[in-house]
Amino acid sequence: MHRAILPHCLNGVGAPPVLPGPWDAISALVFEAAGFPALATPSAGIAASLGYEDGATPADEMFAAVARVVRSVDVPVSADVEDGYGLAPKELVERLLETGAVGCNLEDSRTGVLKDPREHADWLAEVRAVAGDALFVNARVDTFSCGDADPERAIERADLYVAAGAECVYPIGAPLDVLPQLRAGIEVPVNVYAWPDGPALEGLSELAAMRVTFGPRLQRWAAEELAGFARALRDA
């Protein structure tokens, strides 16, 4: 079932569930072998692996990359498909299900500009209606990344998306010190954008994070490690 992607409540105990972000089949296999029960592809990480800037990956290539990740592992995979590539809800859901993904991230901005939240909520409601119980919908709220630092604006958008059927809300770029306010004001679990050398997961749990993803940060960390090895090899 797709709800294996995210326990809906942690009962206040332990660290939040972590979904590493594989950018290709081999990274997905590494995360699965490490014991992670679910994965979440990052659109920016996949873009980098395919030679594109973030946001510039053609839809066909993104869906194909997600499908390769899904078929390489036996754990559930959620897919970041940006703002849906302008696809109608029915086509978007069909293409996601064809990849084998059981969840998705959907952004409320395009090229750095926030969408009208009510129009986006209506679109999300259509996605939910078409998908039924087949997809876990994580609604990304981009207010912080688009320059609006007011947590109440994020909560207002989140409320609309939850009413539309989103099961998790992802206020990307939210400062850690506003997480408790966001969690108190949002009815569903809150996804937090973490980084490999950032706060311990237990600390994120105390700040009310309910789901942790890394976006492209694991891919970038791996690239930096490879770069260091390449320099050492060159200089040996």
Side-chain angles (χ1 to χ4, degrees):
M1 291 294 291
H2 78 272
R3 294 181 190 278
I5 285 283
L6 172 69
H8 274 235
C9 107
L10 298 174
N11 298 317
V13 177
V18 176
L19 281 68
W23 54 94
D24 58 12
I26 188 61
S27 58
L29 286 166
V30 167
F31 294 137
E32 181 184 44
F36 289 98
L39 307 175
T41 65
S43 61
I46 287 179
S49 75
L50 296 176
Y52 293 103
E53 295 294 324
D54 184 19
T57 309
D60 288 350
E61 293 197 46
M62 183 62 72
F63 287 118
V66 170
R68 287 192 292 272
V69 168
V70 172
R71 69 171 176 258
S72 71
V73 295
D74 292 323
V75 297
V77 177
S78 180
D80 179 351
V81 288
E82 304 180 89
D83 71 339
Y85 307 108
L87 299 175
K90 185 176 186 296
E91 183 178 359
L92 176 64
V93 170
E94 288 174 348
R95 298 196 68 174
L96 277 166
L97 294 179
E98 285 172 0
T99 70
V102 295
C104 59
N105 278 6
L106 294 169
E107 305 171 5
D108 68 348
S109 70
R110 179 181 290 124
T111 62
V113 178
L114 289 168
K115 297 181 178 181
D116 179 279
R118 288 172 178 78
E119 291 180 3
H120 186 63
D122 290 343
W123 182 79
L124 285 176
E126 291 185 56
V127 170
R128 166 53 66 217
V130 174
D133 197 43
L135 288 174
F136 183 97
V137 176
N138 185 28
R140 209 178 87 173
V141 176
D142 289 356
T143 51
F144 294 100
S145 62
C146 288
D148 187 342
D150 185 349
E152 289 302 323
R153 299 291 81 74
I155 292 171
E156 289 170 4
R157 285 177 171 260
D159 285 346
L160 290 170
Y161 305 158
V162 171
E167 296 160 286
C168 187
V169 171
Y170 181 11
I172 190 169
L176 293 180
D177 60 0
V178 305
L179 286 181
Q181 181 179 350
L182 294 174
R183 185 67 193 99
I186 296 173
E187 295 180 4
V188 298
V190 173
N191 189 122
V192 171
Y193 183 33
W195 53 99
D197 57 352
L201 297 179
E202 291 80 3
L204 289 176
S205 182
E206 291 172 2
L207 290 170
M210 298 294 285
R211 183 180 189 254
V212 175
T213 56
F214 295 89
R217 283 171 169 162
L218 296 176
Q219 186 266 342
R220 291 170 183 169
W221 173 84
E224 289 170 3
E225 290 293 301
L226 183 59
F229 174 79
R231 288 191 295 269
L233 186 63
R234 177 200 62 198
D235 297 337

